[in-house]
Amino acid sequence: MIDNVILLLTGTLHERDTSELLEKCHPLGKFQSLATLAITTSAADAYKLVLVDTPLAAYMSMNFNRQEDFTELNIEVIRNTLYKAYLEDFYAFCMGIGGATADVMGGVLRFEADRRAINITINSLDTELLKDERASLYCNFGDLAGEGTAKLGKADSIDAVRASCEGFKQYSAMFQEASST
């Protein structure tokens, strides 16, 4: 559902045909008023007119009170804010179940939180996104949570991202493989 919402918002920003965008939406994330997002121009409008009646409403935060018009950057902030809230909620749910669910899904979700933190950092280098805004998009769990995400939040180059991940074997190996190719 998150990706469908972002697809519509981004497509609308680039003046793409709404019916064409709706065809590209994943069927599991479609909902009746999805096409209405095409007439919204700000996060506050999108929330008030459409998203308030969807399961995504639970993941809305103060970022959706902004009246500023959509831009590529604030649509990406919306995407990452929604994913952060969803992943944190899903992680807490899995940990609450315990047992094999917590073991298996916990590992998968920790990896996803770390992967997103690394990607957010790399993709935000040399953009207008402030470092504290970037850090606010990181999940509060994962192997990198705490020390790793604090370093990622301050990173201003790929080398700084690599250095942020050095103390985490599974991720430092990834950067070693990437630099040797």
Side-chain angles (χ1 to χ4, degrees):
M1 185 177 274
I2 294 170
D3 289 332
N4 286 354
V5 168
I6 299 303
L7 174 67
L8 259 291
L9 295 178
T10 304
T12 301
L13 178 67
H14 295 291
E15 299 177 4
R16 302 267 311 271
D17 180 49
T18 305
S19 59
E20 176 187 321
L21 295 170
L22 288 170
E23 287 177 23
K24 293 181 179 188
C25 287
H26 194 285
L28 291 177
K30 285 187 175 181
F31 54 95
Q32 196 168 18
S33 59
L34 183 62
T36 309
L37 285 171
I39 66 166
T40 63
T41 57
S42 71
D45 289 344
Y47 178 72
K48 285 188 280 187
L49 295 174
V50 181
L51 301 175
V52 70
D53 294 325
T54 71
L56 293 179
Y59 303 119
M60 299 300 177
S61 69
M62 62 194 126
N63 289 330
F64 293 89
N65 293 326
R66 295 180 181 172
Q67 287 297 327
E68 61 196 42
D69 288 345
F70 287 128
T71 64
E72 286 284 336
L73 180 61
N74 66 25
I75 290 173
E76 281 305 310
V77 169
I78 290 168
R79 174 198 314 265
N80 288 300
T81 300
L82 287 171
Y83 266 111
K84 173 188 176 183
Y86 163 73
L87 289 170
E88 288 175 349
D89 192 34
F90 191 31
Y91 183 77
F93 173 77
C94 292
M95 295 301 102
I97 291 174
T101 300
D103 292 342
V104 174
M105 288 305 299
V108 170
L109 292 170
R110 282 189 299 277
F111 173 78
E112 179 64 11
D114 292 344
R115 183 192 71 77
R116 291 187 69 76
I118 293 168
N119 283 345
I120 288 167
T121 305
I122 291 171
N123 291 332
S124 67
L125 296 174
D126 299 322
T127 68
E128 302 153 15
L129 189 66
L130 301 174
K131 290 178 182 176
D132 60 332
E133 290 176 313
R134 176 195 330 160
S136 74
L137 300 174
Y138 302 150
C139 289
N140 64 12
F141 68 94
D143 295 336
L144 293 174
E147 180 185 342
T149 54
K151 289 179 182 178
L152 284 172
K154 296 174 185 169
D156 55 5
S157 68
I158 292 291
D159 289 333
V161 173
R162 181 180 296 118
S164 299
C165 295
E166 278 182 359
F168 304 90
K169 186 172 121 178
Q170 68 275 35
Y171 303 120
S172 61
M174 172 183 66
F175 283 105
Q176 291 171 354
E177 291 172 18
S179 63
S180 65
T181 57

